[in-house]
Amino acid sequence: MTFGHDATGLRSETVRRANLSAIVTELHLHGGLTRSELVARTGLTRGAIRGLIRELTAAELVAEQPSRQRGVPGRPSPVVLPRGDRAVVLALEIAVDSLAAAIVGLGGEVQRLVRTDRPRGHLEPDAIVDDLRRLARPLLAQVGADDLLIGAGMAVVGVVRSDDGLVHTAPNLGWTDVPLAGMVARALGVRAPVVVANEADLGGLAEHRRGAARGFDDVLYISGEVGVGGGIIAGGRPLAGASGYAGEVGHLPVNPAGTRCRCGSTGCWETEVGERAILARARANLRGGGRAMDRVLEDAAAGSPAAVDALRITGEWLGIGLAGLVNVLNPRLVVLGGLIGRIHPFVAGEVERAIATRTLSPARRDLRVVPAALGIDAPLLGAAEHAFEPLLADPATWVSPQDRALQLRSA
Amino acid sequence: MTFGHDATGLRSETVRRANLSAIVTELHLHGGLTRSELVARTGLTRGAIRGLIRELTAAELVAEQPSRQRGVPGRPSPVVLPRGDRAVVLALEIAVDSLAAAIVGLGGEVQRLVRTDRPRGHLEPDAIVDDLRRLARPLLAQVGADDLLIGAGMAVVGVVRSDDGLVHTAPNLGWTDVPLAGMVARALGVRAPVVVANEADLGGLAEHRRGAARGFDDVLYISGEVGVGGGIIAGGRPLAGASGYAGEVGHLPVNPAGTRCRCGSTGCWETEVGERAILARARANLRGGGRAMDRVLEDAAAGSPAAVDALRITGEWLGIGLAGLVNVLNPRLVVLGGLIGRIHPFVAGEVERAIATRTLSPARRDLRVVPAALGIDAPLLGAAEHAFEPLLADPATWVSPQDRALQLRSA
DNA sequence: CGGGTTTGTGTTCCTTTTGACCAAATGCTG
DNA sequence: CAGCATTTGGTCAAAAGGAACACAAACCCG
């Protein structure tokens, strides 16, 4: 069962929009392709590609360079490059114990990236937004007035409504109903749209576009920080749910006889595989945060029985939750990020075993479980991808009518 | 996060295909619309609609009737009706204790439907396919040689690979790796394509298109028979997963301390809310099957403490599993079908309570849990919808070039 | 019966892609 | 180094399809 259509009428202008979108998306994802490669990938004719590239060049979204590729017969095809120097986004992140900002260009190149430590614990929204402003200001100053700031994307450790970027709850920050998108837009003074989404959702998006899940259409990304979050790619696109809250795997009930969760429920997955659960099993300092966790991992690597045992039990619970999710979502790839990615080497066996005994055999046959490739910056990069989305979906908005008129006159 | 594009070039011909698809899909889902309603729904101009309708009329996929609607000023707009008498599909179903077949016309009208009891227990694929052939033969005989048999769709209680209709496992039938689509195609001797999918997936599709979930884009359908299955609609389209195995919610681990499941795992959701679990709690005859279950429901309705208690406990487990799925998928609507739908009146309170304590508040705010509307025929109707899919996606295949040429000559 | 309103019909125009032909740029071969 | 094969870009006419406009038809209402 793979289908579904949008029952909306198309106009011939729509075709151009869709084709521009196809080209810009290909270039953004692959970083640079020859015209003839674009012909092959999009299925369009050379003539059509030529016209579209000309428009994108006029809009300064792409640039052409003489071919690099040598050694093949035939006239060389010029390379079309996304202009990451002209079309950029601002990416922001509020993580558990850091804040980050980056300027990312079309094509995915990270121009600048800054990250600062943040004390754990609750902090007023205004204070954090102000910190972000200070972090982002020098980066924004670097963006020229002529450059195209497509938008700003933001990753937050919290439950975010997709419509308007309202942070509904963020237990790690002590936030409830914070209209973050609007606050950040005002603080930065940028006119470009600000989009906010959950950290794990964006981490999954980044791993899908540029990390371990590249090329896979059905992916489950699990991100462990203090809590546990998930990002789902289904059929090549992020699974948002009705209001953008999908992927909250941390509160999957796996152990009704278990311990109380901070969400009010009992036996949530997070209570078994979250940071606190691991520290408790390893009899480490529960308030030690990241440092204590580093210690546990070092001990486990050194063979300490307490640490190894703590991770082994955690791995079993990790596998139980994953098995359920695999049965429900049938992904081709599971990507483990954050803390869960770090413990992966120690728990791979337990996870494999749990999946082997608890999932339907066909669903597990082609399944692979791998650690994340992008590390700590995954959510930040995902925020950039999120911010680029309007441009990829409809570049025509940025291809000004003046450009087209000018170009037609000169032709 | 709501986006995603298909990075494929569009040709000008694609526009016509897409617009034909939009019209046929609208008509199939709504059963009959005036031209002006089609203009409003598709966003196309009157002229464009006229040309497309003319083509579809020539292909005998639709027909126009003088307007029925009276009492409004202005020229009356003719009603365009899907020709359910000419374009039809064959729907088949292998349920736990019945077989069914139906002829369904474009627009969703059920022309004929037959269902026969089937003894529970294992039965050879060949035997069942033969029974289906006998069931379907008189129905197919009714389809005229000039009529368009778009395809055949089939619902099976089992895990089905979407690519080729291979039934990977069907515990209720004792099947493993049965190439059902091909077997049925040969047995029926039809040239139209045969598509096979899981019963719960198709039940969910049917409820989405024509039942309780009409108009909702994010839906979780839960179907209880002997086991428990699920069908997921995400963003308006069925969630298939990598190979079509998504939605196997029956084996979600909810109670690691629970009883052994026939899948080999322990504490699967199915072991707590499946038919067997209910019968066991009500101390009813475990081998009594459907009859015994009817008895339990009657007793509960009459107020028997044992039955009421059995259902109450079942309701708690039902709520626990649902809460997890709601957190992961963030649906707007949960539809309970089959056995789960029948016990819904008795367990609504427990389910609401479990969801209230175990899901994130924003995800539950706009959530509704309702019983299914289509009853026992939901999977069969879903199979019909599945079979219609190629026609809805690209009606141009059925609009022959001759028709177009002929019509242009006459114009 | 005439005005107001809505919608079908036909014509012309616009947009966008296609396809065919030629020119250009490269590798390969003798 | 000349010539050929190959691949690709450039140009222009043609085709396809929808949009826009003007007009006619069919209905309601007073």
Side-chain angles (χ1 to χ4, degrees):
Chain A
M1 282 217 312
T2 315
F3 51 81
H5 10 232
D6 310 302
T8 326
L10 258 53
R11 9 189 102 202
S12 40
E13 188 199 349
T14 320
V15 175
R16 192 174 199 80
R17 287 173 183 267
N19 288 342
L20 281 174
S21 167
I23 292 178
V24 173
T25 304
E26 288 289 340
L27 291 175
H28 178 61
L29 294 180
H30 295 91
L33 295 165
T34 65
R35 277 207 206 178
S36 55
E37 282 170 330
L38 283 172
V39 167
R41 279 171 188 274
T42 60
L44 295 170
T45 58
R46 298 199 298 253
I49 291 285
R50 173 170 156 274
L52 296 165
I53 294 290
R54 183 186 284 186
E55 246 178 73
L56 292 171
T57 309
E60 297 190 296
L61 287 171
V62 308
E64 282 190 306
Q65 273 187 1
S67 172
R68 55 194 167 174
Q69 188 181 341
R70 303 246 145 199
V72 287
R75 177 172 175 170
S77 192
V79 177
V80 185
L81 289 167
R83 292 203 58 180
D85 57 323
R86 300 281 286 138
V88 299
V89 296
L90 173 67
L92 299 169
E93 182 185 3
I94 305 176
V96 173
D97 32 31
S98 66
L99 297 178
I103 297 285
V104 179
L106 185 64
E109 199 195 352
V110 178
Q111 316 262 345
R112 278 189 67 183
L113 193 157
V114 286
R115 184 177 291 274
T116 60
D117 283 349
R118 186 185 85 77
R120 279 199 186 183
H122 300 177
L123 211 51
E124 284 305 304
D126 284 322
I128 289 193
V129 168
D130 202 56
D131 288 348
L132 278 175
R133 189 180 56 76
R134 270 202 293 277
L135 204 63
R137 200 186 329 202
L139 274 65
L140 280 174
Q142 185 193 321
V143 179
D146 302 344
D147 294 340
L148 300 169
L149 182 65
I150 305 300
M154 190 154 180
V156 187
V157 270
V159 181
V160 183
R161 184 162 67 194
S162 50
D163 317 332
D164 55 1
L166 178 89
V167 178
H168 199 282
T169 38
N172 290 304
L173 306 170
W175 289 4
T176 311
D177 290 325
V178 175
L180 188 60
M183 291 173 65
V184 169
R186 272 193 301 280
L188 293 175
V190 296
R191 272 194 311 185
V194 178
V195 290
V196 182
N198 170 266
E199 192 180 42
D201 288 344
L202 292 176
L205 179 61
E207 289 287 344
H208 173 53
R209 292 264 177 94
R210 315 207 170 267
R214 201 161 182 162
F216 291 81
D217 275 349
D218 296 273
V219 180
L220 171 61
Y221 172 79
I222 304 290
S223 153
E225 299 300 332
V226 170
V228 176
I232 302 164
I233 305 288
R237 56 191 78 190
L239 181 77
S243 311
Y245 303 130
E248 283 297 334
V249 297
H251 302 283
L252 197 69
V254 292
N255 187 11
T259 52
R260 186 132 194 127
C261 179
R262 54 183 175 166
C263 78
S265 177
T266 306
C268 294
W269 200 23
E270 185 170 307
T271 64
E272 301 294 348
V273 300
E275 186 187 85
R276 206 183 159 80
I278 301 175
L279 292 178
R281 288 197 188 104
R283 293 189 200 84
N285 178 6
L286 289 183
R287 297 206 172 162
R291 305 255 173 219
M293 199 60 232
D294 294 345
R295 187 70 185 278
V296 172
L297 289 170
E298 283 165 25
D299 289 354
S304 145
V308 169
D309 240 45
L311 292 181
R312 190 183 49 73
I313 297 172
T314 305
E316 283 171 14
W317 285 108
L318 184 60
I320 289 177
L322 279 181
L325 292 170
V326 167
N327 279 332
V328 173
L329 299 169
N330 181 212
R332 178 127 304 161
L333 188 71
V334 174
V335 178
L336 303 178
L339 175 55
I340 304 282
R342 291 170 70 199
I343 68 171
H344 176 253
F346 302 100
V347 302
E350 273 73 26
V351 168
E352 292 288 341
R353 207 165 310 138
I355 288 179
T357 58
R358 303 185 106 94
T359 59
L360 298 165
S361 57
R364 104 176 68 106
R365 182 166 301 171
D366 299 322
L367 178 71
R368 281 174 48 204
V369 180
V370 299
L374 298 177
I376 192 177
D377 290 328
L380 189 65
L381 298 178
E385 295 296 328
H386 195 193
F388 267 122
E389 210 43 40
L391 175 65
L392 303 187
D394 188 10
T397 317
W398 282 265
V399 177
S400 66
Q402 290 97 310
D403 286 351
R404 293 206 61 198
L406 224 138
Q407 145 195 336
L408 290 175
R409 211 182 309 148
S410 78
Chain B
M1 285 218 309
T2 316
F3 49 83
H5 10 232
D6 310 300
T8 325
L10 259 53
R11 359 190 109 209
S12 38
E13 188 199 350
T14 321
V15 175
R16 190 171 202 80
R17 287 172 183 269
N19 288 344
L20 281 173
S21 166
I23 292 179
V24 173
T25 304
E26 288 289 340
L27 291 174
H28 178 61
L29 294 180
H30 295 91
L33 295 165
T34 65
R35 277 205 205 177
S36 56
E37 282 170 330
L38 282 172
V39 168
R41 281 171 186 276
T42 60
L44 295 170
T45 58
R46 298 199 297 256
I49 291 287
R50 180 171 74 104
L52 296 166
I53 293 292
R54 183 186 285 185
E55 247 179 72
L56 292 171
T57 309
E60 298 190 297
L61 287 172
V62 308
E64 282 189 306
Q65 274 185 1
S67 172
R68 57 197 163 171
Q69 187 181 344
R70 302 248 144 197
V72 286
R75 177 172 174 171
S77 190
V79 177
V80 185
L81 289 166
R83 292 202 60 179
D85 56 322
R86 298 282 284 140
V88 299
V89 297
L90 173 67
L92 299 169
E93 183 186 2
I94 306 175
V96 174
D97 31 33
S98 66
L99 297 178
I103 297 285
V104 179
L106 184 64
E109 199 194 353
V110 178
Q111 316 261 347
R112 277 188 68 182
L113 192 157
V114 286
R115 186 177 288 276
T116 59
D117 283 348
R118 186 185 85 75
R120 279 200 186 183
H122 299 177
L123 211 53
E124 285 305 305
D126 285 323
I128 291 193
V129 169
D130 203 56
D131 287 348
L132 278 175
R133 188 179 58 75
R134 269 201 294 275
L135 204 62
R137 200 190 322 208
L139 274 65
L140 279 174
Q142 185 194 320
V143 179
D146 302 345
D147 295 339
L148 301 168
L149 182 64
I150 305 299
M154 189 154 181
V156 187
V157 272
V159 181
V160 183
R161 183 161 69 194
S162 50
D163 317 333
D164 55 0
L166 178 90
V167 178
H168 197 283
T169 38
N172 289 303
L173 306 170
W175 289 5
T176 310
D177 289 324
V178 176
L180 188 60
M183 290 173 67
V184 169
R186 272 193 301 281
L188 294 176
V190 295
R191 271 194 311 186
V194 178
V195 290
V196 182
N198 170 266
E199 191 179 44
D201 288 343
L202 292 175
L205 179 61
E207 290 287 343
H208 173 54
R209 292 264 176 95
R210 315 209 169 265
R214 202 163 180 160
F216 291 82
D217 275 349
D218 296 274
V219 181
L220 171 62
Y221 172 79
I222 303 291
S223 153
E225 300 299 333
V226 170
V228 176
I232 302 164
I233 305 287
R237 56 191 79 190
L239 181 78
S243 311
Y245 303 131
E248 284 297 334
V249 298
H251 304 281
L252 197 68
V254 293
N255 187 12
T259 51
R260 186 132 193 125
C261 179
R262 54 183 174 168
C263 77
S265 177
T266 305
C268 295
W269 199 23
E270 184 170 307
T271 64
E272 301 295 348
V273 301
E275 185 186 86
R276 204 182 159 81
I278 302 175
L279 292 177
R281 289 197 187 103
R283 294 190 200 84
N285 178 7
L286 289 183
R287 298 207 171 162
R291 304 258 173 216
M293 198 61 230
D294 293 346
R295 188 71 186 280
V296 172
L297 289 170
E298 282 165 25
D299 289 355
S304 145
V308 169
D309 242 45
L311 293 181
R312 191 183 48 72
I313 298 172
T314 305
E316 283 170 15
W317 285 107
L318 184 59
I320 289 176
L322 280 180
L325 292 170
V326 166
N327 279 332
V328 173
L329 299 169
N330 181 213
R332 178 128 303 161
L333 188 71
V334 174
V335 178
L336 303 178
L339 175 56
I340 304 282
R342 291 171 70 200
I343 68 171
H344 175 254
F346 302 99
V347 302
E350 272 73 27
V351 169
E352 293 287 341
R353 207 166 308 139
I355 289 179
T357 57
R358 303 187 105 95
T359 59
L360 299 165
S361 58
R364 105 177 66 108
R365 183 166 299 172
D366 299 321
L367 178 72
R368 281 173 50 203
V369 181
V370 300
L374 298 177
I376 192 177
D377 290 328
L380 189 65
L381 299 178
E385 295 296 327
H386 195 191
F388 267 123
E389 210 44 39
L391 175 64
L392 303 187
D394 188 10
T397 317
W398 282 265
V399 176
S400 66
Q402 291 96 311
D403 286 351
R404 294 205 61 197
L406 224 138
Q407 143 195 337
L408 291 175
R409 212 182 310 148
S410 78

